[in-house]
Amino acid sequence: MPTLLLTEKDVEGLLRMPDALGAVEEGLRALGRREATNRPRQRVGTRESTVNVMLASWPTRGYSGFKYYTTSRTGIRFWVHLFDVATGELVAVVQADRLGQQRTGAASGVATKYLARPDASTVGIVGTGWQAESQLEAVCAVRSIRRIRCYGRDKARREGFAKKMASLLGVTVDAAGSPEAAIRDADIVIAATNAPRPVVEGEWLRSGCHINAMGANRLETRELDDAAVRRCAFVATDSIEQAREESGDLVEPMKRGLLTWDRVHEISEVVAGKVRGRTNADDITLFKSHGIAIEDVAVAALVYERAQDGGIGKSITL
């Protein structure tokens, strides 16, 4: 069987947010049912560049695979290799920048579907970069959102982001003058930044809100302050094993006795129906996202099968 090479342009034409949401939800459900296996991210590198690798297998879906990406001063490069579990053959090599953006947004969308109040209609987001776009797209796909407030440090950029997302999503999007102005009174709070220090404070959170925190994935970085974590009645992450290695948002409050690991659940268990998330309308819930390989394998499998059906991509021999 030839290996199919799929470029960013191919992925762009094949993948939409509703598709990514469905694929990620099914992948997480399989993980929660122990029908799939996920391994946390491993990193190795120097001052100049870092290689990151993450693996997953989903036998009942027929695929296993890994994503690897390099980070350096010249940029980030993402690839997914997808294998047929029955034969071990490499069936696809996928450029995965767009794929990763969509699956990251989809993971927050799935968490929002299961943890946010059903009547949630307002969103406050800190961060106006490329990842922030898919975060909003996913949330708007699972809740009837009427208004969004966004904040980024650069005024012109946040105003441009607000205009772009209002056009894309068909909802009111306002540029806020501060993180607090974006977040206060929001039903859904999103942190999508590369900030080293917290951008979400607990005193700004309204009762009953849901938080998606996806930007910080190293122990030395945080998006939430201690008060925000302390106020959460339910805390979920995509991988506890990965969170132990990467989540400053969870590990730092634990050092001060504000949270314990037995209070942290994997979102896959919620999706699989093994753990109940929100139990009260006034609960504040948190999804701490790191991005895990089963999400990449799930979305890559969907893209690969669509490419096959549509005769898209280039066959290569390795």
Side-chain angles (χ1 to χ4, degrees), residues 255-277:
K255 291 179 179 178
R256 287 177 282 284
L258 304 176
L259 183 69
T260 54
W261 283 113
D262 61 356
R263 285 189 52 215
V264 181
H265 303 276
E266 294 193 343
I267 192 65
S268 59
E269 297 177 308
V270 180
V271 176
K274 292 184 175 181
V275 172
R276 187 179 178 187

Side-chain angles (χ1 to χ4, degrees), residues 167-283:
S167 176
L168 178 66
L169 301 173
V171 301
T172 299
V173 183
D174 297 319
S178 67
E180 180 179 0
I183 290 168
R184 192 175 286 278
D185 295 327
D187 298 322
I188 298 169
V189 172
I190 302 171
T193 75
N194 58 7
R197 292 180 295 277
V199 295
V200 176
E201 297 186 11
E203 66 176 292
W204 303 341
L205 302 174
R206 72 174 301 175
S207 295
C209 76
H210 170 67
I211 308 165
N212 292 318
M214 55 73 56
N217 64 358
R218 291 183 180 272
L219 289 176
E220 64 270 21
T221 61
R222 296 184 66 181
E223 292 183 298
L224 311 178
D225 73 354
D226 284 352
V229 176
R230 185 171 60 243
R231 292 191 64 191
C232 293
F234 185 83
V235 178
T237 187
D238 36 20
S239 165
I240 290 176
E241 187 177 5
Q242 194 159 313
R244 288 178 181 272
E245 299 296 325
E246 297 184 351
S247 183
D249 280 322
L250 302 182
V251 172
E252 285 301 315
M254 288 183 186
K255 291 179 179 178
R256 287 177 282 284
L258 304 176
L259 183 69
T260 54
W261 283 113
D262 61 356
R263 285 189 52 215
V264 181
H265 303 276
E266 294 193 343
I267 192 65
S268 59
E269 297 177 308
V270 180
V271 176
K274 292 184 175 181
V275 172
R276 187 179 178 187
R278 176 177 296 275
T279 59
N280 189 291
D282 291 331
D283 285 349

